[in-house]
Amino acid sequence: MLGLGAMLSPTLPFMMQQTNFTKKDFGPDFKWGTATAAYQIEGAYKEDGKGLNIWDTYSNKKGKIKDGTNGNIACNFYHSYKSDIALLKSMNFDVFRFSTSWSRILPNGIGSLNQKGIDFYHRVIDECLEQNLEPWITLYHWDLPQALQDKGGWANREIVDWFNEYTEVVCKAYGDKVKHWMILNEPAASTTLGHLAGIHAPAKIAPRKFLAAVHHTTMCQAEAARVVRANVSNATIGTTFSSSPVSPKNDKARHVKAAHRMDILLNRLFVEPALGMGYPTEGWNFISKIERYIKQGDEQKLAFDFDFIGLQNYTRNITKYSLIPFVWAFEVLPSKRGVPKEKTTDMGWEVYPEGIYEVLKRFSAYKNVPPIYVTENGCAFPDKVENGRVHDDRRVQFFKDYLAQVLRAKQEGMDIRGYYVWTLMDNFEWQEGYRPRFGLVHVNFETQERIVKDSGLWFRNFLDTD
Ligand code: IFM
């Protein structure tokens, strides 16, 4: 188990990084892709038999999403998947990472299947294969069927069976065509924001439910991976984790303690049980209460021999002590610590390229860690369309700087096998709505017109070196 000391270990100055790299420097087998999520792009929220999910319910409530929007139409990917996959191919990527919508496939979460939903992902997968792109499926990217939320959702232990049932259906449907599987997307974000901070669906501020949800999510992480192993021949199985370097505001004991807790929440809570290390509870009484939800025999089931882990990194976190009960840790926002505006993104996150190196180094240091893919990295900036072009120079620079750090980690011997951009196209950014634009492709949400941004053109050129 790594402690705060390791997390704070100094890194080489950024100036020493290689900046004139090419695709070849990453090696011939390194995979390049883009990542997406069903709810953020598909739309068609009530079409062809799809059931509602917690984000349909949440975003359609007044006042929940900052710009008053919802994901009902989103990027209309449900109808435009062919041309969107063609755009991805045109930028010379190898991999399309997408998630399946649980309630499109099983409208009530369990029980009867929606054949039209199953057919949709067959069309997406077939289109990828046709274009010589590898489809990578994420089974859960935050859109729990509403019918299951009505039964208690992630706080109900029965979810382990529900999720296994859904996983088996998806594996049986697509397992002969899809060989790369990710079980969960960023479980730390969905449990914390959904059950503790109350700003993501199902929007609970409920510490006990949070602890239950964490344990059930961790159980699902490993149990569903076993279901994939049993149902898909030659599967490569992983799951993804959000990750951010965390450091205390200063070395005062209360801030150091707060940073330790923030680190557990942001970085350790899901990977350590998956690696057979159990829950990281030391020094945090609240988290140690998770034991109440652990039944006999559970502990042995939390680990799985994943073929890879996905790491997702955007920024870093500077933490200070807070009086807020249960958490007692708060981020000192970049704007409050003098980070200049040019060094923050449209999400208010600090651009901190060294951070991706730091998390790669840290996760690589776990004993028995499998190979790592960067399954998300990207940035939102306020892009403008000018004469049919989007000159997103800051995003181009962001990718150059972060990729330099990924390469640095790889050259130091860390087993990093791929890099996937978040995200293919501008989309519904959860509680922020459509304002933050993360895409390589600009989307006009009135007309659904697409324009490949300069960053997409940069990748097209960078990846065109075979
Ligand atoms: O849009 C999200 C994605 O769904 C999960 N990872 C972070 C992205 C940017 O906030």
Side-chain angles (χ1 to χ4, degrees):
M1 200 177 298
L2 294 182
L4 194 62
M7 188 176 66
L8 296 174
S9 68
T11 56
L12 288 172
F14 182 55
M15 291 305 287
M16 292 173 67
Q17 294 324 299
Q18 187 177 349
T19 50
N20 57 346
F21 52 84
T22 69
K23 178 189 175 190
K24 287 204 171 84
D25 293 311
F26 290 82
D29 299 325
F30 196 82
K31 304 226 165 159
W32 297 90
T34 68
T36 59
Y39 188 73
Q40 294 179 272
I41 61 170
E42 285 179 5
Y45 83 123
K46 278 187 179 166
E47 273 181 63
D48 289 345
K50 175 180 163 293
L52 294 182
N53 62 51
I54 55 174
W55 273 93
D56 292 317
T57 309
Y58 183 65
S59 69
N60 279 288
K61 279 190 188 147
K62 223 171 162 225
K64 300 296 181 197
I65 306 301
K66 286 189 186 162
D67 62 2
T69 58
N70 53 53
N72 298 359
I73 299 174
C75 307
N76 194 31
F77 180 78
Y78 189 73
H79 296 290
S80 63
Y81 68 92
K82 252 185 196 249
S83 46
D84 288 332
I85 292 171
L87 281 176
L88 170 64
K89 183 68 189 175
S90 78
M91 292 181 279
N92 292 318
F93 287 98
D94 321 306
V95 168
F96 181 43
R97 176 183 172 220
F98 63 95
S99 73
T100 43
S101 156
W102 188 341
S103 67
R104 199 180 285 292
I105 290 176
L106 287 152
N108 295 312
I110 46 177
S112 52
L113 301 183
N114 177 30
Q115 191 54 46
K116 286 189 174 168
I118 295 188
D119 293 347
F120 169 63
Y121 296 108
H122 272 302
R123 294 198 291 279
V124 170
I125 292 163
D126 291 346
E127 192 59 32
C128 286
L129 298 175
E130 180 87 1
Q131 301 272 357
N132 204 19
L133 285 163
E134 239 173 46
W136 286 45
I137 284 184
T138 312
L139 284 161
Y140 185 72
H141 199 128
W142 307 355
D143 46 358
L144 184 73
Q146 183 61 45
L148 299 183
Q149 182 59 43
D150 297 342
K151 297 181 185 176
W154 288 100
N156 183 342
R157 190 179 164 92
E158 285 178 57
I159 198 155
V160 180
D161 294 333
W162 304 335
F163 195 59
N164 281 351
E165 180 179 332
Y166 160 63
T167 301
E168 192 172 330
V169 167
V170 181
C171 288
K172 290 210 157 115
Y174 313 119
D176 57 340
K177 299 178 185 172
V178 176
K179 296 298 167 192
H180 293 88
W181 295 77
M182 283 148 293
I183 310 301
L184 303 174
N185 186 75
E186 295 183 352
S190 54
T191 51
T192 308
L193 301 177
H195 293 83
L196 203 55
I199 55 169
H200 271 202
K204 311 270 180 220
I205 303 180
R208 287 203 195 105
K209 285 202 166 77
F210 165 74
L211 291 175
V214 167
H215 182 53
H216 303 148
T217 303
T218 314
M219 293 279 288
C220 286
Q221 186 172 255
E223 292 283 77
R226 288 184 191 97
V227 174
V228 180
R229 190 73 89 215
N231 285 281
V232 182
S233 61
N234 304 320
T236 302
I237 308 170
T239 192
T240 77
F241 305 105
S242 42
S243 60
S244 290
V246 177
S247 13
K249 181 181 165 191
N250 58 39
D251 58 8
K252 291 219 167 85
R254 65 179 192 281
H255 298 311
V256 172
K257 199 167 169 183
H260 169 72
R261 290 169 173 168
M262 183 70 94
D263 183 45
I264 287 179
L265 271 188
L266 294 187
N267 294 315
R268 301 174 51 194
L269 198 51
F270 293 91
V271 69
E272 293 189 5
L275 294 174
M277 300 163 68
Y279 288 112
T281 55
E282 80 283 353
W284 197 4
N285 192 30
F286 166 58
I287 283 286
S288 66
K289 295 202 171 107
I290 200 164
E291 277 162 23
R292 292 182 187 162
Y293 303 93
I294 304 178
K295 297 219 165 130
Q296 209 184 357
D298 282 4
E299 262 154 357
Q300 295 70 50
K301 293 184 188 157
L302 299 179
F304 182 74
D305 59 330
F306 285 104
D307 301 309
F308 71 95
I309 59 167
L311 274 197
Q312 322 204 141
N313 169 262
Y314 290 85
T315 186
R316 67 167 159 175
N317 188 300
I318 307 293
T319 307
K320 68 173 180 181
Y321 173 77
S322 140
L323 286 170
I324 294 184
F326 305 109
V327 181
W328 297 289
F330 223 70
E331 183 183 2
V332 189
L333 295 175
S335 55
K336 295 270 159 62
R337 55 184 160 87
V339 177
K341 217 163 174 352
E342 325 73 79
K343 280 207 74 190
T344 54
T345 71
D346 218 13
M347 296 291 282
W349 298 342
E350 181 184 359
V351 176
Y352 181 66
E354 297 90 332
I356 200 162
Y357 168 84
E358 291 170 21
V359 292
L360 285 165
K361 183 164 182 176
R362 178 166 184 209
F363 278 70
S364 295
Y366 279 119
K367 204 171 147 219
N368 299 331
V369 77
I372 297 176
Y373 287 81
V374 175
T375 39
E376 279 184 26
N377 173 238
C379 51
F381 289 117
D383 303 315
K384 279 204 192 74
V385 179
E386 288 164 320
N387 302 321
R389 291 281 301 270
V390 178
H391 300 300
D392 57 338
D393 303 350
R394 291 183 68 193
R395 187 173 288 104
V396 173
Q397 193 58 48
F398 177 99
F399 286 123
K400 286 182 182 167
D401 293 343
Y402 275 71
L403 280 172
Q405 296 288 338
V406 174
L407 183 58
R408 169 186 178 196
K410 201 166 156 47
Q411 287 174 338
E412 284 181 19
M414 296 172 218
D415 191 358
I416 306 158
R417 306 269 177 103
Y419 176 89
Y420 304 163
V421 172
W422 184 267
T423 179
L424 170 59
M425 56 192 161
D426 299 337
N427 59 42
F428 181 77
E429 177 54 29
W430 308 111
Q431 85 276 22
E432 301 291 328
Y434 293 97
R435 183 191 47 82
R437 292 180 172 272
F438 275 92
L440 296 178
V441 175
H442 183 275
V443 177
N444 176 330
F445 292 104
E446 305 277 303
T447 63
Q448 293 293 343
E449 190 197 351
R450 295 357 186 193
I451 298 173
V452 179
K453 300 178 191 176
D454 283 2
S455 55
L457 300 175
W458 181 83
F459 269 106
R460 178 181 292 173
N461 193 37
F462 176 76
L463 297 177
D464 184 26
T465 51
D466 290 338

